[in-house]
C-alpha cells in the first residue's frame, strides 16, 4: 500500500492535517516500503535533493546514488539497526541529483503494521547548516548517534531554515502542484464513503474515551474493516457438520467452485399455457371441492397439501386467484381477471412439478404465508397498496423454473445460468428475469399492461428486490438490517414510558428504506416458514427438501462434481439433525425478530413444538422423518 494511502485510515480532519504537515514540512521526508522501495517523498525532499517525486517513487533506495563521503560501513550499520525494527538517528551525507553532497541529520523510523511486521520506513532528513563541518566531527557524531536516540534527539536543532517560500512557491512547477492537489482530491473522495465516516467518528470518540472504551472501540474498528459485516463467522473445526453443510450449500455460490466440470441444464423453452388441463374461467368456476379446500386459506394452519391433491398439483393458480382477489390485485392493476388467470397458469407451468420441494406447491405456500403476513396490523401500517401487490406477485414467481439444484451446484457444474449470471445470485436472478419475460411477452397474460409507466417501474423494482432477497447468501444481512433499523428503534420508542410517540413510530414504519426492509423480511420469512407450520406440514416439507438435497448429492456423485452438502447423503443423513441445525442457524433469530414486529404467537408455538419434535427424534438417535410405528 502506498504510504500516503495509509492516511486514509486516519480521522478525516487529522489525516488531512497530517498530509498537509508532510507536504509543508521543511525537513526532507522519504517513506519506503518494507523492502525499501520509495513510496513517497515530500516537496521539501524534492527541493533539497533536486529530484522530482516521479523520478524516485518505485525505485529501490539502493538504486539512488550514494555519497562516498560516508564511512564505508555506515549503511550496513543503519540497516542492521532498522531491520530489527529500531529507530536510527545520526549524521549522513546524501548525494543530490546534481552530484553535490549534503550533510544531514537523519532519523529513520521503522513503522510496524498489524501483526508486528515492519511495513514502512520513514526517513526524516534535516540538512545541517554548516556544510563545511570537518569529516572528523561528523564521524564523531556518527559514532555517538547510532541508535542512541534519546541523547541525540536534541543535538541538531536546526539553526538556519530552509526557505519556506522555495517550497510553497513551487507554483512554477505546475506538474508537481497538480500531482499534489489531485492526491488531496483522491484523499478526500475516498474518505467520503459512509463506512469511512463511521470509522472516523469512532476514531474521534476514541481520542476522548477512557482506556477500556478505546480498546473496545479498537475491536469494533477491526470488525468494521472486514468486508463481510453481516455473515456470522462459522468456526471451521468443531462446528456441527449439518450446519456447516447448510451454510456451505445455501450461503455460498461461485466461491465454492471446485471443479471445471461442465453441467449444462437441459435447455428447454419456457412452458406455455397447458391447454389440456381444465382451467377455471373465473373465481366462480372453481370446482366446489377445490373451493371448499380453500375455505380456510386465511388461517395459518391451512393445509396446502390438501389443495395440491385437490388441484392435481396446480395449487398456485387456484390459491392465486383467491388470494389476489381478496387483496383486490386486479383492481389495482386494472387488469381483467382472465389475464390474471392466464398469468397464474403460465407462471405455474414454469415451476417443475418433478422437483420434490421447489415446485408450484412451494410457491403457493410462500404466497399463502405472504398473504397471511400482509394482514398483520404492523405490516399493514408499514406498507402501501403497491407494496402489497408487489409482495404477492414476488411470492408467486420467486422460484419459477427452479431446477431443484442449489446455486453452488450450478456454479460448480458451470451451468448456462451460472455463466449467464456470473456465479452471482444465479437462481434468484433467473427467477426474477424469467418472471418478467413470461409476463410481458404476451398480452394475454400481461398483468402489467394497464398500469401507468411510473407505477410499473416502482412495482417492477419492488418485485425484483424481493425475489433477490430470498437468496440465502444475504440472509444475515437482511435480518440484521431489519433488527437494527426497525426492531430496535421501535423497542426504544415503546420503552419511552409505554405511550410511544405515534409520529415517531409511523416514521420508523413507513420510511422508504424501512419499507424495503419490511418487504424483504416478509418474503424471506414466508419463503422459509415451513418450520413454523403445524407439525404434520412441517414434517412433509422437511421430507421434501431433504429428498431434493439427496437427489443433488446423488447427481454430484454421478457426475464427479464436488459434493456441496455431504451430510445430505440419503444413506447416512439424519433428517432431525439437519432440521435442528437449520432452525438453530437460520430460523430462530429471524422469526424472533419477525414475531417482535408482526406478532405471530401461533407460528412461534409451532416452531417450538416442531423443534422439540426433531430434538426428540435426535435424542432417540433416529434419522428418519417420523418415529417407527410402535
Ligand atoms: P428458496 O430457494 O427461495 O426456497 O430459498 C430457501 C432456501 O432454504 C432453499 O435453498 C431451501 O433449500 C432452504 N430450506 C427451506 N426449508 C428448509 C428446511 N426445512 N430445511 C433445510 N433447508 C431448507
Ligand atoms: Zn422459495
Amino acid at each position: 500500500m502506498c504510504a500516503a494511502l495509509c492516511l486514509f485510515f486516519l480521522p478525516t480532519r487529522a489525516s488531512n492535517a497530517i498530509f498537509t504537515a508532510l507536504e509543508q514540512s521543511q525537513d526532507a521526508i522519504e517513506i519506503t516500503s518494507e523492502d525499501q522501495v520509495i513510496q513517497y517523498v515530500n516537496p521539501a525532499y524534492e527541493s533539497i535533493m533536486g529530484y522530482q517525486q516521479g523520478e524516485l517513487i518505485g525505485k529501490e533506495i539502493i538504486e539512488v546514488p550514494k555519497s562516498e563521503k560516508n564511512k564505508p560501513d555506515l549503511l550496513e550499520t543503519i540497516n542492521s539497526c532498522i531491520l530489527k525494527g529500531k529507530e536510527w538517528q545520526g549524521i549522513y551525507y546524501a548525494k543530490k541529483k546534481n552530484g553535490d553532497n549534503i550533510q544531514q541529520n537523519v532519523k529513520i523510523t521503522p513503522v510496524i503494521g498489524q501483526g508486528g511486521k515492519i511495513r514502512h520506513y520513514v526517513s526524516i532528513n534535516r540538512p545541517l547548516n554548516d556544510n563545511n563541518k570537518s569529516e572528523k566531527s561528523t564521524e564523531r557524531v556518527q559514532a555517538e548517534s547510532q541508535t542512541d536516540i534519546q541523547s541525540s534527539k536534541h543535538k541538531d536543532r536546526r539553526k538556519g531554515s530552509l526557505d519556506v517560500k522555495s517550497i510553497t512557491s513551487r507554483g512554477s512547477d505546475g506538474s508537481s502542484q497538480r500531482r499534489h492537489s489531485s492526491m488531496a482530491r483522491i484523499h478526500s473522495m475516498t474518505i467520503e464513503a459512509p463506512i469511512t465516516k463511521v470509522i472516523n467518528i469512532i476514531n474521534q470518540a476514541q481520542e476522548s474515551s477512557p482506556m477500556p472504551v478505546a480498546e473496545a472501540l479498537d475491536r469494533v474498528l477491526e470488525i468494521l474493516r472486514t468486508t463481510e459485516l453481516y455473515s456470522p463467522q462459522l468456526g471451521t473445526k468443531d462446528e456441527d457438520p449439518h450446519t456447516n453443510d447448510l451454510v456451505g450449500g445455501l450461503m455460498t455460490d461461485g466461491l465454492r467452485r471446485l471443479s471445471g466440470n461442465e453441467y449444462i441444464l437441459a435447455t428447454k423453452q419456457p412452458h406455455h399455457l397447458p391447454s389440456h388441463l381444465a382451467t377455471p374461467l373465473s373465481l366462480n368456476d372453481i370446482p366446489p371441492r377445490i373451493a371448499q379446500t380453500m375455505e380456510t386459506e386465511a388461517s395459518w394452519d391451512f393445509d396446502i397439501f390438501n389443495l395440491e391433491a385437490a388441484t392435481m398439483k396446480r395449487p398456485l393458480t387456484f390459491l392465486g386467484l383467491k388470494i389476489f382477489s381478496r387483496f383486490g390485485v386486479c383492481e389495482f392493476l386494472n387488469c381483467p381477471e382472465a389475464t390474471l388467470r392466464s398469468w397464474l397458469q403460465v407462471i405455474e407451468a414454469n415451476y417443475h412439478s418433478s422437483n420434490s420441494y421447489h415446485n408450484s406447491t412451494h410457491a403457493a405456500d410462500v404466497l399463502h404465508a405472504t398473504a397471511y403476513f400482509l394482514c398483520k396490523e404492523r405490516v399493514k401500517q408499514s406498507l402501501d397498496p403497491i407494496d402489497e401487490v408487489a409482495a404477492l406477485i414476488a411470492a408467486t414467481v420467486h422460484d419459477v423454473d427452479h431446477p431443484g439444484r442449489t446455486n453452488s451446484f450450478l456454479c460448480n457444474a458451470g451451468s448456462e445460468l451460472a455463466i449467464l449470471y456470473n456465479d452471482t445470485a444465479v437462481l434468484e436472478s433467473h427467477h426474477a428475469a424469467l418472471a418478467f419475460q413470461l409476463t410481458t411477452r404476451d398480452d394475454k397474460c400481461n398483468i402489467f399492461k394497464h398500469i401507468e409507466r411510473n407505477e410499473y417501474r416502482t412495482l417492477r423494482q419492488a418485485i425484483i428486490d424481493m425475489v433477490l432477497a430470498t437468496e440465502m447468501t444475504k440472509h444475515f444481512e437482511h435480518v440484521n438490517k431489519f433488527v437494527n433499523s426497525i426492531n430496535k428503534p421501535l423497542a426504544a420508542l415503546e420503552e419511552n414510558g409505554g405511550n410511544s410517540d405515534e409520529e415517531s413510530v409511523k416514521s420508523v414504519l413507513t420510511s422508504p428504506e424501512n419499507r424495503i426492509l419490511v418487504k424483504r423480511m416478509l418474503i424471506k420469512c414466508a419463503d422459509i416458514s415451513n418450520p413454523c407450520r403445524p407439525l404434520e406440514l412441517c414434517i412433509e416439507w422437511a421430507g421434501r427438501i431433504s429428498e431434493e438435497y439427496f437427489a443433488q448429492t446423488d447427481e454430484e456423485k454421478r457426475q464427479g462434481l464436488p459434493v456441496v452438502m455431504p451430510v445430505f447423503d440419503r444413506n447416512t443423513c439424519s433428517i432431525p439433525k439437519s432440521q435442528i441445525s437449520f432452525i438453530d442457524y437460520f430460523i430462530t433469530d429471524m422469526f424472533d425478530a419477525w414475531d417482535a414486529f408482526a406478532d405471530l404467537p401461533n407460528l412461534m408455538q409451532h416452531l417450538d413444538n416442531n423443534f422439540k419434535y426433531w430434538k426428540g427424534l435426535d435424542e432417540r438417535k433416529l434419522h428418519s422423518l417420523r418415529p417407527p410405528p410402535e
Side-chain angles (χ1 to χ4, degrees):
M1 177 170 46
C2 166
L5 286 179
C6 300
L7 295 174
F8 294 158
F9 297 109
L10 288 166
T12 313
R13 272 175 294 162
S15 59
N16 275 332
I18 293 170
F19 194 73
T20 307
L22 270 177
E23 297 274 294
Q24 298 289 333
S25 168
Q26 296 168 11
D27 291 340
I29 299 172
E30 175 193 63
I31 303 179
T32 67
S33 63
E34 71 256 52
D35 42 7
Q36 304 205 356
V37 173
I38 300 174
Q39 295 175 307
Y40 172 80
V41 295
N42 70 344
Y45 188 105
E46 292 180 299
S47 165
I48 295 167
M49 300 301 293
Y51 286 103
Q52 292 279 301
Q53 207 181 39
E55 294 174 271
L56 294 173
I57 289 179
K59 271 207 172 130
E60 281 189 48
I61 285 271
I62 188 157
E63 295 175 67
V64 181
K66 302 278 169 305
S67 167
E68 53 293 335
K69 286 183 123 189
N70 291 310
K71 273 176 72 177
D73 59 352
L74 181 59
L75 263 183
E76 214 174 293
T77 312
I78 295 174
N79 272 335
S80 76
C81 175
I82 62 173
L83 289 176
K84 281 188 222 138
K86 287 189 189 162
E87 200 171 65
W88 184 90
Q89 183 164 342
I91 306 296
Y92 182 81
Y93 276 101
K95 198 181 240 353
K96 294 189 191 183
K97 188 178 173 188
N98 65 9
D100 289 353
N101 292 307
I102 176 165
Q103 195 185 22
Q104 295 177 316
N105 187 0
V106 173
K107 180 170 168 178
I108 306 177
T109 310
V111 179
I112 314 292
Q114 272 175 354
K117 279 193 174 164
I118 298 173
R119 292 287 176 220
H120 307 278
Y121 297 98
V122 175
S123 165
I124 303 178
N125 315 306
R126 180 170 297 182
L128 290 174
N129 235 11
D130 183 5
N131 279 350
N132 304 322
K133 256 187 184 168
S134 71
E135 268 179 46
K136 210 167 173 202
S137 75
T138 309
E139 276 165 22
R140 184 174 54 78
V141 182
Q142 279 176 2
E144 275 173 7
S145 62
Q146 166 190 329
T147 72
D148 182 10
I149 298 148
Q150 287 311 319
S151 60
S152 60
K153 239 178 194 159
H154 306 290
K155 248 173 216 162
D156 269 281
R157 276 271 166 256
R158 188 183 176 128
K159 291 170 215 123
S161 77
L162 195 73
D163 179 7
V164 179
K165 280 201 198 106
S166 74
I167 300 168
T168 52
S169 67
R170 277 176 317 109
S172 54
D173 176 6
S175 71
S176 160
Q177 204 175 39
R178 260 198 316 280
R179 200 171 50 240
H180 290 297
S181 68
S182 73
M183 186 92 118
R185 213 171 49 243
I186 292 168
H187 187 54
S188 62
M189 260 161 38
T190 314
I191 53 188
E192 278 310 302
I195 187 63
T196 316
K197 281 187 191 155
V198 171
I199 291 174
N200 292 340
I201 293 167
I202 296 174
N203 276 151
Q204 276 158 21
Q206 274 183 310
E207 281 167 25
S208 52
S209 304
M211 205 49 172
V213 178
E215 280 172 5
L217 290 175
D218 266 340
R219 288 199 299 281
V220 170
L221 286 172
E222 228 168 80
I223 296 167
L224 283 180
R225 288 189 179 114
T226 63
T227 49
E228 286 303 321
L229 289 182
Y230 289 95
S231 305
Q233 283 166 354
L234 199 64
T236 43
K237 286 197 300 305
D238 305 327
E239 208 64 53
D240 158 54
H242 293 82
T243 312
N244 249 336
D245 281 9
L246 280 166
V247 172
L250 303 181
M251 296 192 55
T252 57
D253 37 43
L255 297 176
R256 278 174 66 98
R257 175 189 278 270
L258 301 169
S259 140
N261 285 348
E262 282 290 299
Y263 177 85
I264 305 296
L265 282 177
T267 44
K268 62 176 184 63
Q269 293 301 311
H271 287 268
H272 297 273
L273 285 183
S275 55
H276 61 289
L277 294 168
T279 54
L281 290 172
S282 83
L283 258 182
N284 301 329
D285 306 316
I286 290 177
R289 206 168 78 86
I290 297 176
Q292 202 186 356
T293 313
M294 291 198 298
E295 267 170 15
T296 53
E297 61 80 20
S299 150
W300 180 255
D301 295 354
F302 172 67
D303 187 339
I304 195 82
F305 300 113
N306 272 345
L307 185 64
E308 181 190 61
T311 59
M312 294 190 305
K313 295 196 173 182
R314 290 185 303 128
L316 186 58
T317 303
F318 290 94
L319 190 65
L321 271 175
K322 176 135 195 224
I323 288 179
F324 278 47
S325 142
R326 179 151 66 87
F327 280 84
V329 176
C330 285
E331 289 81 358
F332 183 90
L333 296 174
N334 194 19
C335 96
E337 199 192 65
T339 312
L340 174 65
R341 199 180 57 236
S342 301
W343 179 78
L344 284 165
Q345 288 170 335
V346 170
I347 299 295
E348 181 150 38
N350 280 276
Y351 276 92
H352 300 200
S353 56
S354 53
N355 291 341
S356 58
Y357 179 90
H358 284 103
N359 49 41
S360 74
T361 308
H362 166 63
D365 185 50
V366 176
L367 173 63
H368 176 263
T370 299
Y372 183 82
F373 295 153
L374 287 175
C375 294
K376 293 286 143 187
E377 207 42 49
R378 268 278 164 81
V379 179
K380 284 203 283 195
Q381 285 167 1
S382 172
L383 301 186
D384 288 340
I386 195 167
D387 297 317
E388 293 181 359
V389 171
L392 295 170
I393 296 174
T396 306
V397 303
H398 87 282
D399 273 333
V400 68
D401 199 35
H402 197 296
R405 300 287 179 263
T406 62
N407 276 331
S408 312
F409 177 96
L410 299 181
C411 294
N412 286 333
S415 74
E416 276 179 17
L417 286 180
I419 304 279
L420 180 63
Y421 293 110
N422 302 312
D423 292 354
T424 307
V426 174
L427 281 168
E428 294 71 20
S429 302
H430 176 58
H431 304 318
L434 181 66
F436 280 92
Q437 281 167 12
L438 294 172
T439 307
T440 57
R441 70 173 178 198
D442 183 353
D443 277 358
K444 223 174 94 195
C445 63
N446 187 354
I447 53 174
F448 303 130
K449 188 156 183 265
H450 300 294
I451 52 169
E452 196 249 319
R453 173 189 290 268
N454 278 338
E455 209 151 36
Y456 172 65
R457 288 185 61 105
T458 311
L459 197 57
R460 173 169 155 78
Q461 200 172 26
I463 295 166
I464 294 171
D465 187 80
M466 275 186 269
V467 173
L468 295 183
T470 62
E471 194 218 342
M472 295 299 281
T473 60
K474 295 267 168 60
H475 175 81
F476 292 100
E477 177 172 340
H478 297 318
V479 176
N480 285 329
K481 282 183 177 168
F482 182 83
V483 169
N484 288 330
S485 304
I486 295 172
N487 279 159
K488 286 184 185 171
L490 286 179
L493 285 170
E494 271 159 19
E495 252 171 38
N496 279 350
N499 56 350
S500 50
D501 160 10
E502 284 298 314
E503 273 309 299
S504 312
V505 170
K506 197 162 174 246
S507 76
V508 172
L509 291 176
T510 58
S511 78
E513 313 84 65
N514 283 359
R515 270 170 37 218
I516 293 177
L517 300 183
V518 170
K519 283 181 279 177
R520 289 178 184 164
M521 187 74 165
L522 186 152
I523 196 164
K524 278 191 61 55
C525 289
D527 192 21
I528 46 178
S529 61
N530 63 73
C532 303
R533 294 287 188 181
L535 180 63
E536 273 310 310
L537 307 184
C538 161
I539 294 173
E540 176 66 23
W541 286 121
R544 290 182 177 209
I545 190 65
S546 304
E547 178 50 41
E548 198 168 294
Y549 288 155
F550 295 159
Q552 173 167 315
T553 303
D554 291 344
E555 181 167 2
E556 284 164 339
K557 287 186 185 168
R558 261 199 320 276
Q559 306 242 3
L561 288 166
V563 176
V564 181
M565 296 183 280
V567 296
F568 286 97
D569 184 315
R570 63 175 76 251
N571 303 312
T572 52
C573 182
S574 158
I575 295 179
K577 271 196 201 307
S578 76
Q579 290 307 299
I580 291 166
S581 298
F582 185 68
I583 293 172
D584 267 341
Y585 199 74
F586 292 108
I587 301 296
T588 306
D589 287 349
M590 184 174 76
F591 273 92
D592 273 346
W594 188 232
D595 171 47
F597 180 78
D599 188 24
L600 305 156
N602 189 18
L603 278 78
M604 300 312 280
Q605 186 61 55
H606 286 314
L607 178 59
D608 202 41
N609 287 349
N610 298 340
F611 188 74
K612 286 189 181 125
Y613 172 80
W614 298 123
K615 276 278 186 203
L617 290 183
D618 187 44
E619 274 155 21
R620 293 168 62 189
K621 309 234 176 317
L622 296 171
H623 282 193
S624 50
L625 283 172
R626 292 187 175 79
E630 296 278 303

